[in-house]
Amino acid sequence: ITVVVGLALGGIIFPLLFILSAFVAWALFSDLAAPEESQSGTSHRQRYTVTVEDPDWESYFLAVCESPAETAFLKAMIAAHSLEPTNGALKCATFSLSLQSELPPYRVDFLMDDWLVVEIDGAAYHSSPEAITRDRARDLDLINRGFRVVRIPAKMVFTAPSESVKQVA
């Protein structure tokens, strides 16, 4: 808005700036009036309405994963437990699995039955001394709030997906 006002005022002296301010104002207004929806936002909503009869139901859940390791883990869990979509979560006879669950101030990769936090840790973001300290503090906070935390290395998910599924069990 400041840019538009500045350009409009400059348009008093230089008429071309007034035209530029009108164009910038129009572009801002059209973006604010009807923002484009991201694919992840669409997937997020579709997860809550999709049924197993939809041949693409898995894609709505996989799109929510934030890393290739999370995607590989989710595929392994779906295959191992025949998980099916139900109200935004994946369920089987023995448990429910939610993705990117909010546990303020955190968001966890996976949450099973509202008590087991599953974090998939890639070396790039979880191996520095600062990251290890941050992860330990986060885990302690979650444990103190009644959650159990399982951290699975991304390397395990890629090399032995069945072992990562067993570690959660």
Side-chain angles (χ1 to χ4, degrees):
I1 294 175
T2 305
V3 171
V4 172
V5 171
L7 289 173
L9 290 175
I12 295 170
I13 299 170
F14 301 104
L16 289 177
L17 286 179
F18 187 75
I19 294 169
L20 181 62
S21 72
F23 175 74
V24 171
W26 172 78
L28 284 172
F29 176 76
S30 64
D31 281 350
L32 293 174
E36 291 184 28
E37 194 167 309
S38 70
Q39 179 63 32
S40 64
T42 302
S43 294
H44 178 75
R45 260 197 324 281
Q46 288 172 321
R47 284 190 302 148
Y48 289 90
T49 58
V50 72
T51 64
V52 74
E53 286 79 27
D54 183 337
D56 295 327
W57 71 263
E58 280 187 35
S59 67
Y60 303 133
F61 289 87
L62 295 173
V64 178
C65 294
E66 295 182 335
S67 71
E70 288 179 22
T71 301
F73 175 76
L74 182 57
K75 286 179 178 179
M77 288 293 289
I78 290 170
H81 296 286
S82 301
L83 295 173
E84 295 183 350
T86 306
N87 298 324
L90 294 171
K91 296 185 178 187
C92 65
T94 55
F95 66 86
S96 173
L97 181 68
S98 300
L99 291 74
Q100 302 304 327
S101 295
E102 296 289 336
L103 299 176
Y106 311 113
R107 183 175 67 210
V108 299
D109 296 340
F110 300 95
L111 182 62
M112 293 180 65
D113 288 338
D114 296 325
W115 66 271
L116 179 63
V117 172
V118 180
E119 290 287 319
I120 308 300
D121 294 344
Y125 296 104
H126 296 277
S127 61
S128 71
E130 297 84 14
I132 291 169
T133 300
R134 181 187 64 238
D135 288 344
R136 283 185 183 153
R138 176 182 160 125
D139 292 353
L140 184 59
D141 181 42
L142 290 168
I143 290 166
N144 287 336
R145 291 166 49 191
F147 296 95
R148 174 120 190 245
V149 180
V150 175
R151 290 193 171 271
I152 301 173
K155 185 176 181 179
M156 176 189 289
V157 174
F158 291 128
T159 59
S162 62
E163 287 302 312
S164 63
V165 170
K166 285 180 187 175
Q167 189 170 350
V168 170

